Amino acid sequence: MKRVFIAPSLLDAQLAVDALASLGIVTHIFNVNAAGALGEVPFMQVQPEVWVDDDVQEARAREVLAGLRDAPPRDEKICAHCGELNPGNFLSCWQCGRALPD
């Protein structure tokens, strides 16, 4: 196993794990319950860590996570059905649920 990411929060760790899992990279999050020890233990030892099972996948996982970190924000999309403004990464309208254009 190799550590590929130290996350600032558990939410960030889960987003990283989800992105890697979508590519078939098996991962684990360490320090899931360690936040309660903050103050008793140095903060660097309680931050969530993402580890890959297969050492061979380490480089690919790091590349994917770097791509996510460095990705520019997408332009907002307007729903053709209801006219609602949606974030650029949405696939469907948050207001009416209809599919958004690519």
Side-chain angles (χ1 to χ4, degrees):
M1 289 181 69
K2 296 278 187 172
R3 183 178 68 197
V4 294
F5 183 56
I6 299 174
S9 70
L10 189 54
L11 177 61
D12 292 311
Q14 188 61 56
L15 290 171
V17 165
D18 291 345
L20 295 173
S22 72
L23 299 172
I25 300 174
V26 179
T27 59
H28 298 282
I29 301 175
F30 288 3
N31 297 335
V32 172
N33 299 313
L38 191 59
E40 300 294 324
V41 176
F43 79 95
M44 287 299 292
Q45 294 181 3
V46 299
Q47 288 182 294
E49 299 177 349
V50 177
W51 291 65
V52 294
D53 267 0
D54 186 359
D55 293 357
V56 175
Q57 296 286 349
E58 177 188 10
R60 183 169 181 231
R62 287 183 186 278
E63 181 180 310
V64 168
L65 295 175
L68 291 175
R69 181 191 67 226
D70 299 335
R74 296 182 182 173
D75 292 334
E76 294 180 324
K77 299 177 186 177
I78 297 177
C79 178
H81 181 266
C82 70
E84 190 63 37
L85 193 61
N86 293 271
N89 61 336
F90 279 29
L91 300 176
S92 59
C93 178
W94 71 269
Q95 179 70 24
C96 70
R98 301 274 175 103
L100 294 170
D102 288 337

